[in-house]
């Protein structure tokens, strides 16, 4: 072989040998690094295991134990990844013991919370069944969480006792559900029924009715969870319709007032912003009264009325006609009755009872706006 050939071969073999040496050194360094990491992890595991063994179990130590248990679980995972001298079976067994410790801690915490909730429920004086239902549902959720812990841990023997408590709670809640719907009935001092109000969870729900002391129905309204949702009817004692209306989607009340002959006196949308059309004697249209930001625009209405020639001509003809003055008097009565009833109506719209007591000739009576 030539000089140059020998030199080339020597160079190639040298480079190969150096490369192999570098690889071997890298493997040695990597193994040394892993050994160092294993040693560090094993040292930390041993330290934490000793600390846990010395730490007494109990509610007071649970936060510290939980933190150390979490650290140990992470270190066991590191040891398994590093391939330490500890067998996988040992690591799995140790992790199982730590998981049981955490389960006992969680169970103790839930037991304390359940005991606190039971004491709170026992001491409470609930004004509505739904309040007690909500409290007991919260207690039920904690018992369910505890049962999960008991079944997955080493305390399965306690589960039967809490299954019985859960069953009793469900029975209590079922009974309370029947008490959510109520009916309140009140009476005149004479013993005649004054009102009957359906409620659910303390709010008006279903029909609310009021009667005259003579026995006739005065007012009837439909509610859904405290809000007017259906028709409103108000009758005179002779059973003629005085007012009728309904709740509009945007919270205004649509209301119409009638004479005994069925002719309209007013009709409109009553609320913070709305309007009301007026008819005199149910025959002469006087125009619209506008409501803006809760204020009735009276001056604008009166100004338009003063300069309406067609209104005054129709009004004069009506006044001169037979029965015209009587109809005008009845119109004023309807408007005055509504004026007296307006405050009660606003309370009724909010689901509140406007009934109140008044004394007439030494006799106490239960009344609403229409009676005052």
């Amino acid at each position: 072989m030539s000089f140059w050939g020998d030199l080339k071969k020597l160079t190639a073999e040298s480079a190969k040998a150096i490369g192999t040496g570098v690889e071997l050194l890298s493997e040695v360094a990597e193994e040394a690094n892993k050994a160092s990491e294993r040693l560090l992890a094993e040292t930390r595991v041993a330290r934490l295991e000793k600390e846990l063994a010395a730490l007494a179990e109990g509610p007071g130590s649970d936060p510290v134990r939980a933190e150390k248990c979490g650290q140990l679980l992470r270190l066991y995972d590191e040891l398994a990844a590093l391939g330490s001298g500890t067998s996988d079976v040992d690591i799995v067994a140790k992790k199982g013991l730590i998981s049981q410790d955490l389960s006992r801690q969680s169970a103790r915490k839930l037991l304390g919370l359940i005991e606190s909730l039971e004491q709170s429920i026992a001491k409470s004086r609930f004004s509505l069944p739904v309040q007690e239902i909500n409290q007991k549902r919260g207690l039920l959720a904690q018992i369910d969480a505890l049962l999960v812990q008991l079944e997955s841990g080493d305390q399965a023997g306690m589960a039967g006792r809490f299954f019985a408590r859960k069953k009793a709670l469900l029975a209590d809640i079922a009974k309370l559900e029947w008490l959510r719907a109520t009916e309140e009935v009140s009476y005149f001092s004479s013993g005649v029924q004054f009102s009957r109000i359906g409620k659910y969870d303390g709010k008006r729900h279903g029909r609310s009715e009021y009667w005259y002391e003579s026995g006739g129905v005065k007012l009837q309204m439909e509610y859904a969870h405290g809000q007017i949702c259906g028709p409103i009817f108000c009758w005179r004692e002779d059973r003629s319709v005085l007012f009728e209306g309904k709740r509009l989607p945007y919270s205004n009340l649509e209301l119409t007032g009638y004479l005994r002959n069925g002719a309209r006196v007013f009709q409109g949308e009553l609320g913070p912003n709305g309007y009301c059309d007026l008819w005199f004697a149910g025959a002469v249209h006087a125009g619209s009264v506008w409501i803006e930001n809760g204020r009735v625009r009276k001056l604008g209405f009166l100004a338009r009325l003063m300069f309406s020639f067609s209104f005054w001509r129709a009004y004069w003809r009506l006044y001169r006609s037979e029965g015209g003055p009587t109809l005008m008097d009845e119109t004023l009565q309807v408007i005055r009755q509504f004026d007296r009833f307006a405050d009660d109506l606003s309370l009724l719209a909010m689901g509140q009872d406007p009934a109140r007591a008044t004394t007439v000739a030494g006799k106490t009576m239960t009344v609403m706006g229409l009676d005052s």
Side-chain angles (χ1 to χ4, degrees), residues 190-367:
S190 62
V192 175
Q193 185 170 263
F194 171 74
S195 68
R196 182 172 60 211
I197 300 168
K199 290 190 174 183
Y200 191 80
D201 290 342
K203 296 180 179 180
R204 292 192 180 217
H205 189 76
R207 179 165 294 181
S208 289
E209 292 180 289
Y210 294 84
W211 282 265
Y212 290 101
E213 196 165 9
S214 59
V217 179
K218 177 194 298 183
L219 180 67
Q220 191 178 90
M221 309 174 79
E222 295 289 335
Y223 287 85
H225 303 290
Q227 298 291 322
I228 296 173
C229 67
I232 303 167
F233 288 103
C234 184
W235 292 274
R236 298 178 178 86
E237 287 195 73
D238 63 8
R239 294 298 296 160
S240 62
V241 176
L242 180 57
F243 310 127
E244 69 174 357
K246 62 181 179 180
R247 184 73 170 263
L248 297 173
Y250 42 90
S251 297
N252 275 7
L253 284 175
E254 182 181 84
L255 203 67
T256 306
Y258 297 96
L259 299 176
R260 282 182 171 81
N261 63 12
R264 290 176 298 179
V265 174
F266 64 84
Q267 182 177 38
E269 295 183 12
L270 306 181
N273 294 288
Y275 72 92
C276 187
D277 281 315
L278 296 175
W279 287 267
F280 286 1
V284 181
H285 185 239
S288 299
V289 179
W290 293 95
I291 306 166
E292 295 179 6
N293 299 319
R295 296 183 62 187
V296 179
R297 300 298 182 180
K298 301 176 186 176
L299 292 178
F301 169 72
L302 292 173
R304 290 191 301 274
L305 200 64
M306 288 295 293
F307 295 99
S308 174
F309 176 74
S310 59
F311 164 76
W312 290 110
R313 182 176 59 186
Y315 177 77
W316 177 251
R317 288 177 178 173
L318 174 67
Y319 189 77
R320 298 281 294 178
S321 66
E322 185 179 353
T326 302
L327 288 174
M328 287 300 301
D329 287 343
E330 190 179 346
T331 298
L332 287 174
Q333 288 176 16
V334 172
I335 293 173
R336 287 168 181 166
Q337 283 176 307
F338 175 71
D339 183 50
R340 291 194 297 268
F341 188 55
D343 290 340
D344 288 345
L345 190 61
S346 64
L347 290 173
L348 287 164
M350 293 186 290
Q352 299 178 21
D353 194 344
R356 56 188 178 274
T358 188
T359 302
V360 178
K363 181 181 179 182
T364 300
M365 301 176 62
T366 306
V367 301

Side-chain angles (χ1 to χ4, degrees), residues 41 44-45 48 66-82 91 95 98 102:
R44 292 172 64 192
V45 164
L48 281 172
E67 182 181 355
K68 293 187 182 299
C69 286
Q71 293 174 5
L72 260 179
L73 288 174
R74 290 191 292 272
L75 284 172
Y76 286 146
D77 289 335
E78 287 183 26
L79 283 177
L82 290 169
I91 289 177
K95 288 178 70 175
I98 294 298
L102 286 171

